[in-house]
Amino acid sequence: MDHSYCRLVLVCSVLALCLGNQGARSQLTVDFYYNTCPQLYAIVQQHVFSAMMVETRMGASLLRLHFHDCFVNGCDGSILLDGDTGEKFALPNLNSVRGFEVIDAIKADLETFCPEVVSCADIVALAASYGVLFSGGPYYDVLLGRRDGLVANQSGANNSLPSPFEPIDSIIQKFNAVGLNTTDVVVLSGAHTIGQARCALFSKRLSNFSATSSVDPTLDATLAASLQSLCAGGDGNQTTALDARSADYFDNHYYQNLLVERGLLSSDQGLFSSPDGVASTKALVQTYSDDGEQFFYDFVWSMLKMGNISPPPGSAGQIRKNCRVVN
Ligand code: HEM
Ligand SMILES: *[C@@H]1O[C@H](CO)[C@@H](O)[C@H](O)[C@H]1NC(C)=O
Ligand SMILES: *[C@@H]1O[C@H](CO)[C@@H](O)[C@H](O)[C@H]1NC(C)=O
Ligand SMILES: *[C@@H]1O[C@H](CO)[C@@H](O)[C@H](O)[C@H]1NC(C)=O
Ligand SMILES: *[C@@H]1O[C@H](CO)[C@@H](O)[C@H](O)[C@H]1NC(C)=O
Ligand SMILES: *[C@@H]1O[C@H](CO)[C@@H](O)[C@H](O)[C@H]1NC(C)=O
């Protein structure tokens, strides 16, 4: 325990030194709001905790919200902007991404205690970290000081976010495009140790899969049968756990599932079983399935890298008063 805590502290301070200063933004720091909003941590923590008391899944939803924010024009809160031309209405987000009300409630409190100080992008990053922590995952010091973007880039969201239907090579390319590598793909996919997915995102694996096989041959038969009955009604919005072994608990079962063909999404199982996955990601899946401590350690590092994806140079941004609209 002590040993792993030391490693976490080390990884955070090393990252604070060597990342940052990409594009127009100055370097993120752990103590950015130390003087200007000392209530920040307590407020975010309390809201995430109470939201998860009502619905444990909200921790997972907040983690995904941060990921989908960061991959489009950097971590700039652009996913929060309302309007049907915004990112919320992009294919990967519509009827899918969740947690906006929790962010609104946090922002409302922050505007009382420290008005116009904390960016919406930082709120999302912090909320995601508490979503991980309260699900049993690792603690890490979130780097702060992001500014909120002025544009919600719908075509960017359509094009930059990975789809569960695409091959691993092409998912890796989308991560590379934002400065993340193959290790980050495998490590961050481990976020699917918590949360839910809808039938619409995996039912292709359950029938008419290919000319030679009705069901995806890399899907365990027992799991396939239970998913077939779940999705039989044709309601694409029906949900099930991404990690059926421990749906709400952040652990390395995600990787252990892949070893026995119990990954839910094609993009999950493909990390271990697809030809391009065998070439690039399979060995890492094996590593994290064997060593949960290594997974936690690397997850923290990759989250800090993802949280550091910057907006395009020149977009200086603002501190939004309401996360849904630009000032
Ligand atoms: C590697 C490429 C990835 C693909 C193709 C992918 C795809 C998906 C899909 C299709 C869902 C279900 C959405 C729905 O049912 O509406 C999902 C859920 C989720 N994803 Fe990913 N994802 C990827 C990477 C990530 C990363 C990097 C993170 C965070 C670090 C993440 C965190 C989550 C979480 C926590 C959920 C559950 C959300 C909830 O229950 O509300 N995913 N993902
Ligand atoms: C993004 O994808 C959605 C859903 O496919 C589509 O309706 C929308 O027009 C696309 N937006 C842009 C700007 O390409
Ligand atoms: C939207 O995102 C795309 C990348 O997918 C990028 O090329 C484009 O410059 C972005 N547009 C704006 C207005 O930020
Ligand atoms: C990915 O980047 C990390 C540093 O952030 C490095 O330790 C790791 O070896 C890289 N992985 C690959 C496959 O290049
Ligand atoms: C599956 O394939 C069969 C035979 O090709 C076809 O009759 C049936 O409509 C298909 N089902 C779906 C759900 O596409
Ligand atoms: C899921 O629910 C949304 C919103 O209620 C609805 O618009 C959509 O058509 C449903 N999608 C599927 C695949 O059933």
Side-chain angles (χ1 to χ4, degrees), residues 88-300:
K88 285 179 182 176
F89 283 75
L91 186 61
N93 291 332
L94 188 62
N95 300 318
S96 181
V97 89
R98 311 167 76 246
F100 297 110
E101 294 75 14
V102 177
I103 303 299
D104 288 339
I106 294 169
K107 184 61 174 173
D109 266 8
L110 287 173
E111 289 306 287
T112 304
F113 285 96
C114 15
E116 295 173 52
V117 164
V118 182
S119 69
C120 297
D122 278 346
I123 295 172
V124 173
L126 256 189
S129 78
Y130 287 120
V132 170
L133 182 67
F134 297 150
S135 301
Y139 171 80
Y140 57 98
D141 282 326
V142 178
L143 295 168
L144 299 168
R146 298 170 187 81
R147 295 181 63 81
D148 294 324
L150 306 178
V151 287
N153 187 344
Q154 189 173 103
S155 63
N158 280 347
N159 297 328
S160 307
L161 289 166
S163 146
F165 308 118
E166 65 187 318
I168 300 304
D169 281 346
S170 128
I171 290 174
I172 290 173
Q173 277 171 28
K174 288 183 174 177
F175 276 66
N176 288 346
V178 294
L180 301 177
N181 67 20
T182 303
T183 308
D184 300 312
V185 172
V186 178
V187 171
L188 293 173
S189 291
H192 290 176
T193 175
I194 50 174
Q196 307 268 317
R198 295 172 301 147
C199 285
L201 283 319
F202 58 81
S203 57
K204 283 183 185 178
R205 304 182 71 198
L206 306 176
S207 65
N208 282 11
F209 181 74
S210 73
T212 51
S213 177
S214 160
V215 174
D216 184 338
T218 68
L219 179 59
D220 168 78
T222 310
L223 179 59
S226 82
L227 295 175
Q228 278 167 341
S229 77
L230 175 82
C231 303
D235 176 5
N237 287 328
Q238 193 69 241
T239 63
T240 191
L242 281 155
D243 168 13
R245 254 179 86 192
S246 52
D248 292 323
Y249 196 65
F250 197 103
D251 52 27
N252 69 338
H253 290 164
Y254 169 81
Y255 301 102
Q256 297 176 357
N257 291 340
L258 300 184
L259 266 53
V260 292
E261 300 190 327
R262 295 179 72 90
L264 183 62
L265 305 174
S266 174
S267 52
D268 293 326
Q269 193 58 50
L271 294 172
F272 189 76
S273 305
S274 70
D276 50 345
V278 169
S280 58
T281 52
K282 181 178 180 171
L284 286 163
V285 171
Q286 184 74 59
T287 299
Y288 298 126
S289 75
D290 292 341
D291 189 345
E293 197 188 325
Q294 185 71 43
F295 167 50
F296 274 28
Y297 178 76
D298 288 356
F299 186 79
V300 166

